[in-house]
Amino acid sequence: MEQPNAASATEAIESTVESSNSNSNHELSLEQRFQIIRSIGEECIQDEELRNLLAKKPEPVCYDGFEPSGRMHIAQGVMKTINVNKLISSGCRVKIWIADWFAKLNNKMGGDLKKIETVGRYLIEIWKAVGMDLEGGKVEFLWSSKEINSRADEYWPLVLDIAQKNNLKRIIRCSQIMGRSETEELTAAQIFYPCMQCADIFFLKADICQLGMDQRKVNVLAREYCDDIKRKNKPIILSHHMLPGLQEGQEKMSKSDPLSSIFMEDEEAEVNLKIKKAFCPPKVVGKNPCLEYVKYLILPWFNEFKVERGAANGGDKTFKNFEELAADYESGELHPADLKSALSKSLNKILEV
């Protein structure tokens, strides 16, 4: 990725908090740090706990993680970069858990650890290219297999204790974290998976679990476990929004459907085709994937959304916030074709090399 794109992301992050001219932790007030971090989450459990944490701990530890399981879609590439950079700008340390063993448990890449490792390294390189702030040493990439093996005497007793303190029904309720449903027939390995992911939070000494809404159930399990062991300081759950698939009725992006999402290595023509075919009903703002892409990717990245159109169609217009965009779209002043054309151009600017 070209450096100007990474700079655009940084500028967008810095402008999140009013009156903040620098992303240095030492120049931000507690409230400014709170607002930047809180802007990441669609939900936070709990806001007051987050404020207290920031007041007491200069460098809170944030945990994020991923299964190396194939191509990287734009939400994983761009949204994660924006979120991690926000956390760093607010004084946090970020531990990104490369869940290679977990990918094997979930039978990703055919359960082949060598392939899983290759995919993991590929994803890290994309984050470097897209502008994730790795220069200051505040972001660590940790391979689950290596970390668990090096501290097995600490990890496995914790996993077993979590497993003993929960019944099977409670654990199966967490199967959503693996992209599975509660009604699926799970392998024994997949049943053990939530106990391990819950243990990761304590193993990594995480203060904040910064994951998607689809990981909420296991993060809540970790807070419940704190009640079981009488631990006062519970991990704070900061759950970010999950971008939907581009087709009608797709609540999540699907790697099995090539038209469902934009991938980080997509060519310009592929992006244009996918957005052209995307679900985008006129005057409908809710559950409109094209508008969600603008809200969660384009506006945070560029700080604006430019629509170019002929004078007969209203002329060029630059939107500075989502509310203004949504109002124009709902009224019919912004046509789906113009929205899609502008969205494609913005996405290709992010992805161009």
Side-chain angles (χ1 to χ4, degrees):
M1 295 289 173
E2 291 182 328
Q3 190 58 34
N5 288 338
S8 296
T10 304
E11 289 167 11
I13 290 160
E14 289 173 355
S15 69
T16 305
V17 177
E18 212 172 305
S19 305
S20 173
N21 297 318
S22 168
N23 63 359
S24 167
N25 177 31
H26 300 293
E27 296 179 26
L28 296 177
S29 69
L30 187 149
E31 185 60 24
Q32 287 174 326
R33 293 172 65 205
F34 171 81
Q35 291 296 340
I36 292 175
I37 294 171
R38 185 62 184 86
S39 71
I40 293 170
E42 184 169 88
E43 178 187 58
C44 178
I45 306 176
Q46 300 279 350
D47 282 346
E48 201 52 42
E49 291 179 21
L50 177 57
R51 274 199 175 88
N52 291 337
L53 172 68
L54 295 175
K56 294 175 182 177
K57 192 169 183 177
E59 288 191 342
V61 175
C62 301
Y63 150 71
D64 195 350
F66 68 96
E67 279 186 11
S69 59
R71 301 172 70 193
M72 180 186 280
H73 54 63
I74 197 166
Q76 191 180 16
V78 174
M79 278 183 68
K80 190 184 291 291
T81 296
I82 291 171
N83 289 345
V84 167
N85 287 358
K86 282 185 177 183
L87 293 168
I88 297 303
S89 76
S90 305
C92 298
R93 303 189 73 88
V94 180
K95 294 182 178 181
I96 299 181
W97 193 236
I98 310 171
D100 50 354
W101 270 7
F102 293 77
K104 181 175 176 60
L105 286 176
N106 207 10
N107 201 35
K108 297 298 175 67
M109 309 307 294
D112 187 327
L113 273 174
K114 288 185 178 180
K115 290 181 181 178
I116 290 168
E117 181 180 352
T118 299
V119 173
R121 295 190 183 282
Y122 148 75
L123 298 181
I124 292 170
E125 290 305 314
I126 292 182
W127 282 316
K128 288 179 182 178
V130 84
M132 187 176 284
D133 184 4
L134 305 178
E135 296 299 318
K138 296 294 182 71
V139 179
E140 291 181 87
F141 289 101
L142 302 169
W143 294 82
S144 68
S145 56
K146 294 177 182 177
E147 296 299 317
I148 291 170
N149 280 338
S150 67
R151 293 158 55 197
D153 58 336
E154 180 183 344
Y155 186 79
W156 292 115
L158 180 57
V159 173
L160 293 175
D161 194 47
I162 291 168
Q164 285 181 306
K165 286 182 168 57
N166 288 278
N167 60 39
L168 189 58
K169 184 178 180 180
R170 179 68 183 91
I171 296 302
I172 290 175
R173 278 170 54 198
C174 294
S175 57
Q176 178 189 13
I177 66 173
M178 300 175 283
R180 312 286 176 178
S181 72
E182 294 181 37
T183 58
E184 281 187 59
E185 186 176 345
L186 304 175
T187 66
Q190 288 167 335
I191 290 172
F192 210 52
Y193 188 119
C195 299
M196 292 174 63
Q197 185 169 327
C198 182
D200 294 342
I201 296 165
F202 304 100
F203 184 67
L204 295 172
K205 296 178 171 55
D207 301 301
I208 300 171
C209 300
Q210 201 284 289
L211 298 161
M213 286 294 293
D214 61 338
Q215 304 296 302
R216 183 184 186 277
K217 288 183 179 179
V218 77
N219 292 332
V220 170
L221 182 71
R223 288 179 63 90
E224 292 173 357
Y225 178 65
C226 289
D227 291 331
D228 292 333
I229 63 173
K230 305 296 187 285
R231 171 173 164 157
K232 183 179 178 182
N233 294 325
K234 299 179 179 180
I236 294 158
I237 305 172
L238 193 66
S239 303
H240 66 73
H241 180 73
M242 300 293 294
L243 275 185
L246 289 171
Q247 300 303 302
E248 184 177 5
Q250 293 181 332
E251 292 186 4
K252 284 181 62 177
M253 296 180 181
S254 170
K255 291 183 180 180
S256 61
D257 179 357
L259 292 177
S260 172
S261 61
I262 305 297
F263 292 97
M264 294 301 291
E265 71 274 15
D266 277 349
E267 299 290 341
E268 182 177 351
E270 291 177 283
V271 172
N272 294 342
L273 177 64
K274 289 179 180 182
I275 296 302
K276 183 178 180 180
K277 290 181 175 292
F279 180 63
C280 191
K283 300 184 180 181
V284 177
V285 174
K287 296 186 177 181
N288 186 323
C290 291
L291 286 171
E292 291 216 15
Y293 264 53
V294 177
K295 181 177 182 179
Y296 292 100
L297 294 174
I298 307 305
L299 283 170
W301 188 268
F302 294 109
N303 253 356
E304 62 184 20
F305 178 55
K306 295 182 179 179
V307 175
E308 297 175 356
R309 56 192 175 180
N313 295 323
D316 296 350
K317 186 166 183 179
T318 298
F319 297 93
K320 294 291 186 179
N321 58 68
F322 183 74
E323 290 72 25
E324 183 185 4
L325 172 66
D328 267 25
Y329 192 79
E330 194 169 30
S331 69
E333 289 203 20
L334 178 59
H335 190 273
D338 293 322
L339 170 68
K340 286 185 172 186
S341 176
L343 175 57
S344 294
K345 287 180 182 178
S346 295
L347 289 171
N348 281 316
K349 282 183 181 179
I350 294 175
L351 296 178
E352 69 186 6
V353 177

